[in-house]
Amino acid sequence: MPTAGQSKGASARSKRADAVRNQQTLLDAAAEVFVTSGIDAPIREIAARAGVGLGTLYRHFPTRAELVTAVYRHQIEACAEAGPKLLADAASPFEALRQWVDLFVDFLVTKHGLADALQSDSDRFAALHTHFLDRLMPVCAELLDAAGDTGDIRPGIQSYELMRGIGNLCIGQDGDPRYDPRRLIELLLQGLRQPHTHDGDDDTQ
């Protein structure tokens, strides 16, 4: 039979595991709400999406800035971890790059308004931007290198250039139903391809 000490230890581990799950659920819910309703979405909406009470949310994230920062970091990690998985599972390195760029665009939508949410904390924003580049540029570079090695895209494309270009295309999408940045981003990706490479190349003759 377990001793009292063992029971307390198991209970503490269970509570920590529950806390981690609650935090992850909150971060996923907040990211979804930020995409649909913006960074200034009501906190109550995020708690409802996560299926928790406001008290639980505030225990994890006492301020909106802390919640926004945590979502931002959470999304960076998800985007970074997706790169190697896509390379392993996608039909080709170019398709892995395309799918990763789609996730990156989703991330940029979530990121919108971050500077405003952290308006009084420029140091925190600068640190997050540095973390963003440090984590995602190597992942993007790995995808570009893999697609270049197979001849799917032109050589010499830099990850910073591509990420910066995609970010610029995403600017101004809010409030203008006539503008769809994903259409232009798809054109950008097609422009990276070697002249002899076509979408139908993989089809059997």
Side-chain angles (χ1 to χ4, degrees):
M1 293 181 64
T3 65
Q6 289 174 328
S7 296
K8 288 181 180 179
S11 177
R13 286 192 296 273
S14 177
K15 288 180 179 179
R16 285 196 296 271
D18 287 343
V20 169
R21 280 194 295 270
N22 282 340
Q23 187 175 54
Q24 294 301 309
T25 299
L26 281 166
L27 291 173
D28 289 336
E32 292 171 6
V33 170
F34 288 164
V35 168
T36 57
S37 304
I39 292 288
D40 295 324
I43 294 297
R44 188 178 299 277
E45 182 180 347
I46 295 169
R49 178 73 65 93
V52 302
L54 280 174
T56 298
L57 191 154
Y58 282 121
R59 276 197 300 275
H60 286 284
F61 308 107
T63 67
R64 181 181 293 272
E66 288 177 281
L67 174 61
V68 171
T69 300
V71 168
Y72 188 64
R73 285 186 172 275
H74 181 58
Q75 295 297 90
I76 288 173
E77 292 308 311
C79 200
E81 292 170 4
K85 294 177 183 177
L86 289 172
L87 267 180
D89 298 338
S92 69
F94 180 77
E95 182 58 27
L97 175 64
R98 174 187 276 159
Q99 291 179 30
W100 186 83
V101 165
D102 198 47
L103 292 175
F104 182 60
V105 172
D106 287 341
F107 167 77
L108 292 178
V109 173
T110 304
K111 176 178 176 286
H112 179 70
L114 176 69
D116 292 337
L118 303 179
Q119 54 188 324
S120 62
D121 196 344
S122 58
D123 289 342
R124 178 183 293 193
F125 179 76
L128 283 171
H129 184 66
T130 298
H131 180 63
F132 160 78
L133 293 176
D134 288 346
R135 285 293 283 138
L136 296 188
M137 280 178 56
V139 176
C140 185
E142 182 181 8
L143 290 160
L144 288 170
D145 288 345
D149 289 345
T150 57
D152 284 345
I153 64 171
R154 305 166 190 268
I157 300 163
Q158 301 299 310
S159 58
Y160 179 79
E161 291 177 317
L162 180 60
M163 290 167 58
R164 178 72 180 267
I166 291 170
N168 286 340
L169 288 174
C170 288
I171 294 173
Q173 67 175 352
D174 294 340
D176 189 350
R178 299 171 299 174
Y179 180 61
D180 180 5
R182 291 184 192 272
R183 287 172 57 86
L184 292 180
I185 290 166
E186 179 59 27
L187 288 174
L188 171 63
L189 290 178
Q190 290 301 325
L192 302 183
R193 308 202 76 173
Q194 293 279 20
H196 65 273
T197 305
H198 302 286
D199 284 340
D201 284 350
D202 293 334
D203 294 339
T204 55
Q205 300 297 322

